[in-house]
Amino acid sequence: MLAVAQIEKAAEVLRNGGLVAIPTETVYGLAANAEDPQAVAKIFEVKGRPPTHPLIVHIGSADQLGEWVEEVPATAKLLAEAFWPGPLTLVLRRGRRVPLETTGGLETVAVRVPDHPAALALLAEFGGAVAAPSANRFGSVSPTTPDHVRTELGGDVDIVLDGGPCEVGVESTIVDVTGDVPTVLRPGGLTREDLEEVLGHPLAVPSATAVRVPGQHPTHYAPRAHVVLVETDQILTESELAHSAGRRVGVLLPPSLAGARVEAAAIVPVPDSQSAYARGLFKYLRELDEQGCDLIIASLPDERGLGLAIANRLRRAAGPRD
Ligand code: AMP
Ligand code: MG
């Protein structure tokens, strides 16, 4: 647990319009006072993120939701009570306290309550809400440890709160509850199955590469190395081929191939459990970059449960480059 003094100092940074890297259960966030357009502008500047890409507003508890949105529809109340604090973001009509800078100019706002003691302690001490996208440069791999943040953002952030490695490891599931039917805008750390159980009906999930909302580009979460997705039974031949062609190949080796002889510069065995894979995914991509790989070969997991979010991140890591 972080010292009280650290939390107080971080809250002071927020009050002064500065940037705090915060641990959450999903990934590390780059937080600023959500009500302060100038502080929010710094987030966009540091990330190199286009100003039309909306930010997620993080609040301290579900019962504060009404302060930040125009109205709380019954579905939003139901989902917030079931899953907050947790890896679920709800898109609602923007309340007056949220400036357009924070929502990328949209009349809707994305809100969630993070499930991490340090983030919750900071929000309680600060008293307001923070806008916090992932604490990485635009388009790159999200950070899941404080070291990832320091390496990537260094002196551009005023303070990094060390809350250890993130438990969930992939970003929140975003659900739009402004319309008649709730819609998943981005699969994430809360599974579709869990959502459907509480809602009592099936949910539509967008195709992995469709750009549904601003800030959802086909290529994202991308390491330096090019990521290529192949069928699991092609992994060994594809890596051997690329390896003998002189590429520096990194392989995300699925559990079904554990122990196989792989021709590659670096191999990361993928854990059997989906939650362990989600927790480690971004770290593995960073590690393969660090080992100098220029090509990462992987296959898609079963897309049930957390597999949906893992497959989404892998597809987008493998998306077209400029
Ligand atoms: P991140 O970059 O991890 O902070 O992710 C933020 C995501 O939330 C982006 O992909 C946005 O598209 C999405 N988002 C934020 N606000 C809204 C909104 N008002 N409507 C739809 N999506 C939103
Ligand atoms: Mg991000």
Side-chain angles (χ1 to χ4, degrees):
M1 196 46 209
L2 278 155
V4 175
Q6 275 278 92
I7 298 290
E8 285 173 351
K9 194 171 145 202
E12 197 54 30
V13 169
L14 292 175
R15 282 184 209 108
N16 292 330
L19 298 180
V20 180
I22 57 166
T24 81
E25 81 283 28
T26 58
V27 302
Y28 270 74
L30 184 61
N33 180 358
E35 294 177 83
D36 179 347
Q38 281 175 350
V40 166
K42 287 185 194 162
I43 296 179
F44 288 99
E45 195 186 309
V46 165
K47 279 186 67 89
R49 176 167 166 139
T52 51
H53 286 218
L55 304 176
I56 294 175
V57 172
H58 293 67
I59 61 174
S61 69
D63 57 28
Q64 296 168 9
L65 179 59
E67 299 170 33
W68 304 95
V69 302
E70 197 162 273
E71 54 166 350
V72 181
T75 311
K77 197 164 184 297
L78 175 76
L79 294 177
E81 279 171 5
F83 297 115
W84 283 354
L88 169 69
T89 295
L90 295 174
V91 172
L92 294 140
R93 301 212 61 78
R94 180 176 69 94
R96 284 175 208 282
R97 279 178 86 173
V98 185
L100 285 167
E101 283 80 359
T102 299
T103 66
L106 296 176
E107 285 305 334
T108 53
V109 60
V111 187
R112 86 175 190 103
V113 179
D115 189 12
H116 192 292
L120 292 173
L122 176 63
L123 285 165
E125 176 67 28
F126 173 54
V130 297
S134 50
N136 54 282
R137 309 275 181 209
F138 181 62
S140 88
V141 180
S142 301
T144 53
T145 70
D147 272 347
H148 293 166
V149 180
R150 290 188 201 104
T151 307
E152 189 156 340
L153 299 183
D156 286 349
V157 35
D158 296 301
I159 178 168
V160 179
L161 289 182
D162 186 340
C166 300
E167 272 292 310
V168 174
V170 292
E171 295 81 355
S172 59
T173 301
I174 305 180
V175 180
D176 183 341
V177 283
T178 56
D180 295 335
V181 210
T183 314
V184 176
L185 300 179
R186 172 180 77 186
L190 179 68
T191 67
R192 163 198 192 161
E193 291 84 348
D194 282 347
L195 277 166
E196 288 176 344
E197 195 177 315
V198 166
L199 288 169
H201 61 79
L203 272 171
V205 172
S207 81
T209 49
V211 177
R212 293 283 303 252
V213 287
Q216 296 254 302
H217 276 207
T219 310
H220 208 131
Y221 317 110
R224 266 196 319 274
H226 274 250
V227 179
V228 171
L229 300 176
V230 302
E231 296 296 327
T232 298
D233 62 9
Q234 294 299 306
I235 285 189
L236 299 179
T237 42
E238 289 295 328
S239 57
E240 191 180 341
L241 216 65
H243 182 74
S244 51
R247 303 293 298 266
R248 196 167 163 80
V249 183
V251 174
L252 290 179
L253 196 67
S256 62
L257 295 178
R261 226 181 78 87
V262 190
E263 295 285 348
I267 299 153
V268 176
V270 166
D272 215 359
S273 107
Q274 284 185 322
S275 58
Y277 191 6
R279 195 177 305 126
L281 175 65
F282 290 145
K283 188 180 69 172
Y284 307 149
L285 295 176
R286 280 176 186 269
E287 283 169 358
L288 293 173
D289 264 350
E290 272 162 28
Q291 294 182 54
C293 295
D294 57 33
L295 178 68
I296 295 173
I297 296 180
S299 63
L300 294 173
D302 179 339
E303 294 188 38
R304 283 170 295 186
L306 278 174
L308 187 68
I310 297 168
N312 171 278
R313 303 305 186 269
L314 283 171
R315 284 203 181 90
R316 291 172 62 191
R321 307 275 175 112
D322 291 336

